[in-house]
Amino acid sequence: MKILALETSAKACSATVTEDGQVLASCYQNTGLTHSRTLMPMVESLLKNADLSVSDLGLIAVAAGPGSFTGIRIGVAAAKGLAFAANLPAAGVSTLYAMALGLRHMNGLIVCAMDARRAQVYNALFEAKDGKLTRLCEDRAIGLADLAEELRGDPRPLIAVGDGGALCQRALEEAGISCALAPARLVHQHAVGVALAAGELAETGALTTAQNLSPVYLRPAQAERLRDRIKKENAT
């Protein structure tokens, strides 16, 4: 089955087509341009250059979160539109799990990190051993200081990955905890991981429809937090 996967959770934007776990075509851009400008032209070019059409696909996948609120909304909206128009199933995968898949060949504790601001990261922990990943906690927003205390004393090699990987590595090192950063070619989120995660969901029948595909936010958007704060202040 051919899978078109989209990744728009952070600054970088990417799209990939895989078939049975093998990458057929892939496109990646990290130029700071908005995903609303780059994603669909990227998808159109990718399919054209691979001599494919949407009708050749069997599944549309997207990194559904956590991540940038705007980025996630753009990616999910695009995936919903593509899946709905072609009457294809959809898969919304964890951004953190998708990025960890790129490091499953590296034995150690994979520390997935996306910058969530306010000294926090969106985070999940996975043990990578013999090419397999074991999830150790659910996706979460956690303070860097709290994460450091949780990891203190863990004997496994720590490997930080994600757009917040360097931030996380620095915080851990400052706390006296040794942590390596994933190789440069693997440190950022990529649609290849999204496609691989979606393939796993397809094998277990855990897919969804375009109508039911939705973003996953681990905390309210800044505008919602500001609104709630104003309401509390007005109430007092």
Side-chain angles (χ1 to χ4, degrees):
M1 178 175 62
K2 293 182 178 66
I3 299 173
L4 171 64
L6 313 177
E7 222 303 344
T8 59
S9 65
K11 181 181 176 182
C13 180
S14 57
T16 293
V17 176
T18 63
E19 183 174 22
D20 301 328
Q22 300 299 312
V23 178
L24 300 183
S26 187
C27 187
Y28 176 91
Q29 188 166 326
N30 189 13
T31 60
L33 297 176
T34 60
H35 300 335
S36 59
R37 289 178 54 190
T38 58
L39 179 60
M40 291 313 297
M42 184 182 291
V43 170
E44 292 171 6
S45 175
L46 177 72
L47 293 176
K48 180 179 179 180
N49 290 338
D51 197 23
L52 295 170
S53 67
V54 176
S55 62
D56 295 316
L57 304 173
L59 174 63
I60 305 295
V62 65
S68 157
F69 290 92
T70 300
I72 291 296
R73 283 194 294 266
I74 290 170
V76 170
K80 286 171 72 74
L82 289 165
F84 183 80
N87 194 29
L88 290 173
V93 309
S94 161
T95 309
L96 299 167
Y97 179 63
M99 70 172 71
L101 280 172
L103 300 182
R104 60 184 171 182
H105 64 287
M106 300 178 68
N107 290 341
L109 184 59
I110 309 302
V111 184
C112 298
M114 301 180 68
D115 189 358
R117 312 288 177 166
R118 300 185 299 163
Q120 288 189 329
V121 288
Y122 296 124
N123 165 259
L125 302 174
F126 298 87
E127 181 179 37
K129 187 175 182 179
D130 300 328
K132 295 182 179 180
L133 284 180
T134 301
R135 180 183 279 275
L136 303 180
C137 69
E138 295 302 313
D139 293 356
R140 59 190 178 174
I142 186 172
L144 288 165
D146 293 333
L147 180 61
E149 288 308 306
E150 182 176 330
L151 295 175
R152 192 179 301 281
D154 196 302
R156 293 168 289 193
L158 303 182
I159 309 165
V161 64
D163 69 284
L167 173 68
C168 184
Q169 182 200 32
R170 285 195 301 271
L172 293 177
E173 294 282 354
E174 289 172 0
I177 301 169
S178 179
C179 180
L181 186 62
R185 69 184 186 281
L186 300 175
V187 71
H188 289 291
Q189 295 91 301
H190 199 291
V192 170
V194 176
L196 295 176
E200 294 180 358
L201 292 178
E203 290 178 357
T204 61
L207 301 178
T208 188
T209 63
Q211 182 177 3
N212 291 330
L213 182 65
S214 59
V216 177
Y217 303 129
L218 295 184
R219 69 184 192 193
Q222 176 64 26
E224 294 177 12
R225 296 195 298 270
L226 180 60
R227 180 198 61 197
D228 293 340
R229 189 181 71 186
I230 292 174
K231 283 183 177 180
K232 290 180 180 179
E233 291 174 351
N234 290 338
T236 58

